[in-house]
């Protein structure tokens, strides 16, 4: 949306929430949106933790333990995450998706708006499994993790192991009980469009927290290290990100 790349994300982020979001939610005369049970936008926090720059964050110091005089020359290399945001749209049944997206309002106006404001949109259809339900349903910060399976596994085998074994490991760790307010697994099984990027995703974890500090405290625990180590046995750590 902007020629200046330093301003582009900020403007797009605002546009997605304040313009595109209400446009999607608006029930235009002649349309029916009641099949949409939930529509959340999860916006990437630029200063938050990511796979490429994760806590604990360390001060730049020299060999003597003193703060360096040339921090600008030592700024870590920036890698833009693959994803800027996550639209979380829930339906009661698979056929409801086509019933909503197939309406003229979406085909002519919502999708046209996406093509104007978004670099890319994937539309993966997934089953949601709520491992830890939220007591409030308004948890302000989420850790979204994209999972890609190891090549030796089929998607079905990956998802079965992830749900039937790994979910219990995550939920059973004391640090999870202390910090995580909600934990859901999304199991993709199709798309509403040709989706070369989205089709590479084998699963999405959504863990919700009370605040950003809790996310960072959780990521540095021994429990989370054990969770990641176990996950590496069936998910490709080099191709997954949060």
């Amino acid at each position: 949306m902007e020629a200046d790349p330093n301003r582009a994300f900020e403007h797009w982020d605002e546009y997605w929430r304040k313009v595109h979001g209400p446009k999607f939610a608006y029930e235009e005369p002649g349309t029916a949106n009641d099949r949409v049970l939930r529509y959340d936008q999860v916006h990437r926090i630029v200063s938050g933790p990511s796979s490429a720059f994760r806590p604990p964050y360390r001060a730049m110091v020299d060999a003597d333990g003193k703060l360096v005089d040339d921090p600008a020359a030592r700024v870590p290399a920036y890698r833009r995450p693959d994803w800027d945001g996550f639209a979380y749209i829930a339906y009661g049944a698979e056929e409801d998706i086509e019933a909503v997206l197939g309406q003229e309002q979406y085909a002519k106006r919502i999708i046209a708006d996406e093509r104007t404001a978004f670099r890319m949109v994937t539309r993966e259809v997934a089953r949601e499994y709520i491992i830890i339900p939220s007591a409030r349903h308004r948890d302000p910060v989420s850790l979204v993790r994209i999972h890609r399976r190891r090549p030796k596994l089929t998607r079905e085998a990956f998802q079965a192991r992830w749900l039937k074994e790994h979910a219990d490991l995550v939920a059973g760790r004391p640090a999870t009980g202390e910090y995580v307010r909600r934990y859901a697994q999304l199991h993709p099984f199709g798309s509403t469009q040709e989706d070369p990027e989205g089709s590479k995703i084998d699963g999405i974890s959504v863990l919700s927290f009370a605040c950003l500090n809790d996310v960072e405290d959780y990521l540095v625990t021994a429990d989370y290290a054990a969770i990641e180590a176990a996950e590496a046995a069936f998910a490709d750590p080099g191709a997954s990100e949060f």
Side-chain angles (χ1 to χ4, degrees):
M1 294 185 66
E2 302 284 352
D4 179 357
N6 292 318
R7 200 180 346 153
F9 180 82
E10 180 181 273
H11 193 177
W12 170 83
D13 196 58
E14 181 180 52
Y15 183 90
W16 183 33
R17 181 167 187 258
K18 297 180 179 179
V19 178
H20 182 78
K23 186 179 292 187
F24 179 88
Y26 178 65
E27 189 162 349
E28 187 174 300
T31 64
N33 294 352
D34 56 325
R35 298 192 189 197
V36 178
L37 304 180
R38 173 177 176 173
Y39 172 41
D40 292 350
Q41 290 183 359
V42 182
H43 291 237
R44 178 166 62 85
I45 301 172
V46 178
S47 62
S50 68
S51 305
F53 201 154
R54 57 194 298 163
Y57 313 124
R58 305 294 188 189
M60 298 180 196
V61 297
D62 60 21
D64 298 322
K66 295 183 178 181
L67 293 173
V68 299
D69 296 324
D70 58 344
R74 306 184 188 217
V75 173
Y78 174 72
R79 183 184 72 80
R80 180 180 183 147
D82 288 341
W83 305 103
D84 291 321
F86 170 47
Y88 204 164
I89 307 169
Y91 300 85
E94 188 177 351
E95 56 267 23
D96 292 344
I97 301 173
E98 180 57 35
V100 171
L101 297 184
Q103 298 179 93
E104 181 182 13
Q105 170 181 345
Y106 293 94
K108 288 193 174 182
R109 286 177 276 285
I110 306 304
I111 294 176
D113 195 54
E114 290 176 349
R115 290 171 178 164
T116 299
F118 294 75
R119 285 183 296 131
M120 179 180 64
V121 175
T122 78
R123 286 191 182 82
E124 287 298 291
V125 181
R127 294 182 181 89
E128 181 180 38
Y129 297 90
I130 301 174
I131 313 302
I132 300 175
S134 171
R136 298 178 67 245
H137 302 286
R138 296 281 289 177
D139 308 303
V141 180
S142 294
L143 178 70
V144 179
R145 185 167 188 122
I146 305 297
H147 303 280
R148 293 185 173 92
R149 69 187 187 275
R150 285 197 174 274
K152 64 181 180 180
L153 294 174
T154 64
R155 172 177 281 188
E156 292 73 20
F158 164 83
Q159 292 179 347
R161 183 169 177 180
W162 183 37
L163 177 63
K164 296 177 181 178
E165 298 178 18
H166 192 68
D168 288 340
L169 171 68
V170 175
R173 288 285 171 168
T176 302
E178 180 179 357
Y179 293 112
V180 177
R181 289 190 170 189
R182 182 179 189 268
Y183 170 36
Q185 291 184 357
L186 302 181
H187 292 225
F189 64 89
S191 178
T192 62
Q193 64 183 27
E194 186 177 349
D195 197 357
E197 288 300 318
S199 62
K200 299 175 186 176
I201 298 173
D202 296 303
I204 302 172
S205 294
V206 186
L207 294 94
S208 301
F209 300 81
C211 64
L212 192 58
N213 286 344
D214 282 359
V215 180
E216 294 171 331
D217 289 346
Y218 182 62
L219 290 174
V220 300
T221 62
D223 283 339
Y224 190 75
I227 289 169
E228 282 199 310
E231 189 178 279
F234 60 97
D236 186 348
S240 301
E241 66 174 326
F242 64 80

